[in-house]
């Protein structure tokens, strides 16, 4: 579940969207659809192409071009709060995951995750 610590979180808007069915799962490769949903809370699902640490964060890329494709970022501040989370995140390559959060633009569409509950594995690597 998305928490109040997520950037730009608006709990009332999230609950309204969820209650009315406006919050549906979007495929991570549907970049055009994601682009139209910037600035809103979304549930996005896809296969992780690359999981790596860069600087002070771990990035989960769902396409070959991070500047265009969907990305999940987990910053060190969040990683320090949850022992072992960094290792679990960097092992997600090839796995299909579902992420919930506030969709923003940073090169391409991106969600910053602050809590492990916002990201779940729904299918192991092939």
């Amino acid at each position: 579940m998305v928490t109040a610590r997520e950037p730009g979180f608006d709990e009332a808007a999230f609950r309204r969207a969820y209650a009315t069915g406006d919050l549906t799962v979007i495929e991570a490769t549907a970049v055009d659809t994601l682009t139209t949903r910037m600035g809103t809370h979304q549930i996005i699902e896809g296969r992780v192409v690359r999981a790596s640490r860069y600087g002070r964060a771990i990035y989960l890329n769902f396409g070959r071009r991070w500047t265009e494709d969907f990305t999940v970022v987990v910053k060190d501040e969040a990683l320090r709060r949850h022992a072992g989370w960094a290792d679990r995140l960097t092992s997600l390559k090839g796995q299909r995951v579902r992420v919930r959060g506030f969709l923003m633009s940073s090169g391409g569409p991106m969600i910053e995750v602050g809590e492990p509950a916002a990201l779940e594995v729904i299918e192991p690597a092939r």
Side-chain angles (χ1 to χ4, degrees):
M1 186 70 181
V2 180
T3 68
R5 287 182 269 215
E6 300 281 341
F9 183 74
D10 178 346
E11 186 171 351
F14 182 79
R15 288 180 185 275
R16 274 192 310 277
Y18 190 80
T20 61
D22 290 340
L23 198 58
T24 58
V25 177
I26 302 171
E27 180 60 41
T29 56
V31 177
D32 291 340
T33 301
L34 295 175
T35 301
T36 66
R37 307 278 177 97
M38 295 293 184
T40 63
H41 291 86
Q42 296 298 324
I43 301 171
I44 300 169
E45 192 174 288
R47 194 162 302 279
V48 177
V49 172
R50 179 185 292 168
S52 58
R53 175 175 282 285
Y54 183 78
R56 295 181 177 190
I58 291 177
Y59 293 86
L60 305 178
N61 295 310
F62 291 77
R64 295 181 188 264
R65 296 187 184 107
W66 67 268
T67 57
E68 298 173 14
D69 296 319
F70 177 64
T71 300
V72 169
V73 63
V74 183
K75 294 184 178 174
D76 275 349
E77 177 184 317
L79 295 169
R80 284 191 295 271
R81 291 192 308 265
H82 305 284
W85 195 23
D87 291 336
R88 290 191 306 271
L89 288 168
T90 56
S91 70
L92 290 176
K93 180 179 178 180
Q95 297 187 53
R96 189 163 176 80
V97 301
R98 181 177 296 149
V99 63
R100 297 160 178 84
F102 187 77
L103 186 61
M104 59 186 122
S105 179
S106 181
M110 180 184 82
I111 289 179
E112 180 180 331
V113 171
E115 298 291 330
L119 189 131
E120 65 180 304
V121 175
I122 56 173
E123 184 183 312
R126 293 183 215 164

